[in-house]
Amino acid sequence: MTVPRSSAPTVLVVMGVSGSGKSTVAALLAERLGWTFADGDDFHTPESIARMRDGHPLDDAARQPWLGRIRAWIDARIAAGENAVVACSALKRAYRRALIGDPQRVRIVFLEGSRTVIQDRIRARHGHFMPASLLDSQLAALEPPGPEEDPITVGIEEGPDAIVAAVATRLDIPAGDICA
């Protein structure tokens, strides 16, 4: 059952494995909606980035402070009365619970795609710290959001514009209210 949402500020957590397009889609979505944007990668410590760059996935203990920093950012946006979008892998239910204080105000957008599409995207990008070798660990850790989390699930086969349009439709935002 879908829980009715209040008119209070909304924060969207755009989630998925590395290479699913989280940062691109979240930034474009925030731009089109006129909302504040943050990239979860910017909340990582230099040590965590170095660990991942070297091909080592973060464990739950290493992720907790990172999730805490993102949660503080989300809570600050809500307290300030701002609508916002944050890109964050949020692969496990426990991670999403750590991020979402008020499910009336924080909504998950899950970017779902095949391993092949994601792997091709990872191989094509340059300058990102997450190597293609960590995709398997991300897919193994992924616990797709269930209906109780009321996610907006969008396939990633289309381009970013189509994905943003699909999310806006699911949010009941008329096309005229989206800045092109």
Side-chain angles (χ1 to χ4, degrees):
M1 177 172 106
T2 301
V3 177
R5 300 209 173 264
S6 69
S7 60
T10 299
V11 176
L12 300 176
V13 177
V14 178
M15 64 151 297
V17 298
S18 181
S20 62
K22 295 180 300 294
S23 298
T24 301
V25 168
L28 185 59
L29 186 59
E31 177 186 320
R32 299 258 170 99
L33 295 174
W35 292 11
T36 302
F37 168 71
D39 192 323
D41 287 346
D42 295 337
F43 294 84
H44 280 299
T45 63
E47 295 80 16
S48 290
I49 289 172
R51 180 176 169 81
M52 289 181 281
R53 183 175 285 124
D54 289 342
H56 305 289
L58 299 181
D59 59 19
D60 288 350
R63 288 180 197 276
Q64 288 310 312
W66 172 68
L67 293 168
R69 288 188 291 276
I70 296 170
R71 168 67 182 268
W73 184 88
I74 290 170
D75 291 347
R77 301 294 69 76
I78 292 170
E82 296 177 29
N83 292 310
V85 182
V86 61
C88 175
S89 55
L91 298 177
K92 295 183 180 182
R93 285 179 191 86
Y95 302 165
R96 295 188 293 274
R97 282 193 300 271
L99 292 171
I100 301 171
D102 182 351
Q104 295 297 308
R105 294 182 172 183
V106 182
R107 185 104 189 251
I108 296 293
V109 175
F110 175 42
L111 301 183
E112 182 177 54
S114 72
R115 183 184 195 291
T116 302
V117 168
I118 294 166
Q119 190 168 32
D120 288 348
R121 287 182 178 184
I122 290 173
R123 287 182 178 148
R125 70 184 180 185
H126 302 285
H128 195 277
F129 63 84
M130 182 72 89
S133 62
L134 289 182
L135 178 58
D136 287 334
S137 70
Q138 292 240 312
L139 291 169
L142 177 63
E143 296 172 357
E148 71 285 355
E149 294 179 84
D150 192 25
I152 296 171
T153 301
V154 183
I156 62 167
E157 289 72 28
E158 301 285 330
D161 289 322
I163 295 168
V164 167
V167 172
T169 297
R170 291 282 305 279
L171 290 169
D172 294 325
I173 296 173
D177 290 351
I178 298 178
C179 305

